[in-house]
Amino acid sequence: METDSGRPVTVVIADDHPVYRQGLTRGFQLSGQIDVVAECADGESALQAVREFGPQVAVLDYRLPSMDGIAVIHAMTRDGLPTRALLLTATTDSAVVYQAVEEGAYGYLGKDAPRTRIVEAVLKVARGGHVISEDASGGLAAEIRMRADRDTPVLSERERQVLRGFAEGKSIPQVAAELYLGASTVKTHTQRLYEKLGVSDRAAAVAEAMRRRLLE
């Protein structure tokens, strides 16, 4: 199914594995219903491509260099970009699924899904529908139940790494150097960390994390 105008759905793909990325592109092209406007190997270039081309759907891997898929989705939502995100990843961790949906993802599928299933998901997301794989939906339900029983924010792996750096007395530039990330990327993770903990500086973040037993 194409868009209401009869034109193919426009898509940006972001995956750091070129063979898988190219396979997705070929599958979308063969469907005759999806037009890939850009292929990206990292999160920052994916976000730039979304801003430049304004595709209907961004198909993102979770584990991307520079910015992970959820950080890209967060930036898209924050900036009010109309592109809808489909996270396509091998990660089935319930906390990641929950965070992806919380940040605004319209879909969450495993990378082992058949190409026809992925094509169907892209078309559904382009129409404003939501798609979550059976495995991911089970984990999502469990995470929702667990969160309902306790007041503990779900932190991403990067947010936990940043938090540990702050607990060790490191500054944002020092954390960035340790994690081999740009300072701007660490600042984005820091802001999200502050929002989740309800704080406004590093010392308060560490204190609140200790109160909530988020630091080992």
Side-chain angles (χ1 to χ4, degrees):
M1 182 178 295
E2 299 172 334
T3 58
D4 293 338
S5 64
R7 293 191 294 270
V9 170
T10 52
V11 168
V12 162
I13 297 174
D15 194 293
D16 61 339
H17 294 88
V19 174
Y20 186 83
R21 187 175 66 242
Q22 292 161 11
L24 272 183
T25 297
R26 285 194 298 272
F28 289 160
Q29 291 172 337
L30 289 173
S31 75
Q33 303 170 88
I34 299 172
D35 180 20
V36 178
V37 297
E39 290 184 30
C40 307
D42 63 81
E44 289 185 357
S45 62
L47 182 58
Q48 181 178 351
V50 167
R51 288 172 174 155
E52 179 179 352
F53 298 104
Q56 291 163 275
V57 180
V59 178
L60 309 168
D61 188 10
Y62 168 55
R63 297 188 182 280
L64 289 170
S66 71
M67 293 176 68
D68 64 39
I70 293 180
V72 175
I73 295 170
H74 175 81
M76 289 165 53
T77 302
R78 178 198 63 206
D79 297 345
L81 302 179
T83 300
R84 300 184 177 112
L86 169 64
L87 208 62
L88 192 61
T89 175
T91 302
T92 57
D93 183 271
S94 60
V96 175
V97 180
Y98 185 98
Q99 189 177 13
V101 175
E102 184 180 44
E103 293 290 359
Y106 275 73
Y108 196 107
L109 282 182
K111 295 180 79 169
D112 58 350
R115 287 289 185 271
T116 53
R117 171 65 170 146
I118 298 173
V119 168
E120 290 170 358
V122 168
L123 299 179
K124 186 171 182 177
V125 166
R127 298 193 300 270
H130 291 77
V131 179
I132 299 181
S133 67
E134 185 175 341
D135 290 345
S137 62
L140 177 60
E143 188 68 29
I144 291 173
R145 288 193 299 271
M146 184 169 59
R147 283 175 63 90
D149 294 335
R150 56 181 173 86
D151 180 26
T152 303
V154 176
L155 303 183
S156 70
E157 182 179 349
R158 284 298 192 199
E159 289 163 359
R160 290 184 182 278
Q161 291 172 334
V162 170
L163 178 60
R164 284 195 292 269
F166 291 163
E168 294 168 359
K170 295 184 174 69
S171 65
I172 287 178
Q174 289 172 327
V175 172
E178 184 178 81
L179 299 179
Y180 301 99
L181 296 174
S184 61
T185 300
V186 173
K187 287 179 181 178
T188 297
H189 289 304
T190 299
Q191 186 56 45
R192 291 172 59 194
L193 181 63
Y194 288 172
E195 291 172 0
K196 290 180 179 181
L197 296 178
V199 299
S200 57
D201 59 54
R202 284 179 292 156
V206 172
E208 184 63 16
M210 291 177 67
R211 186 185 72 80
R212 302 192 191 199
R213 298 183 179 179
L214 296 174
L215 284 169
E216 297 178 357

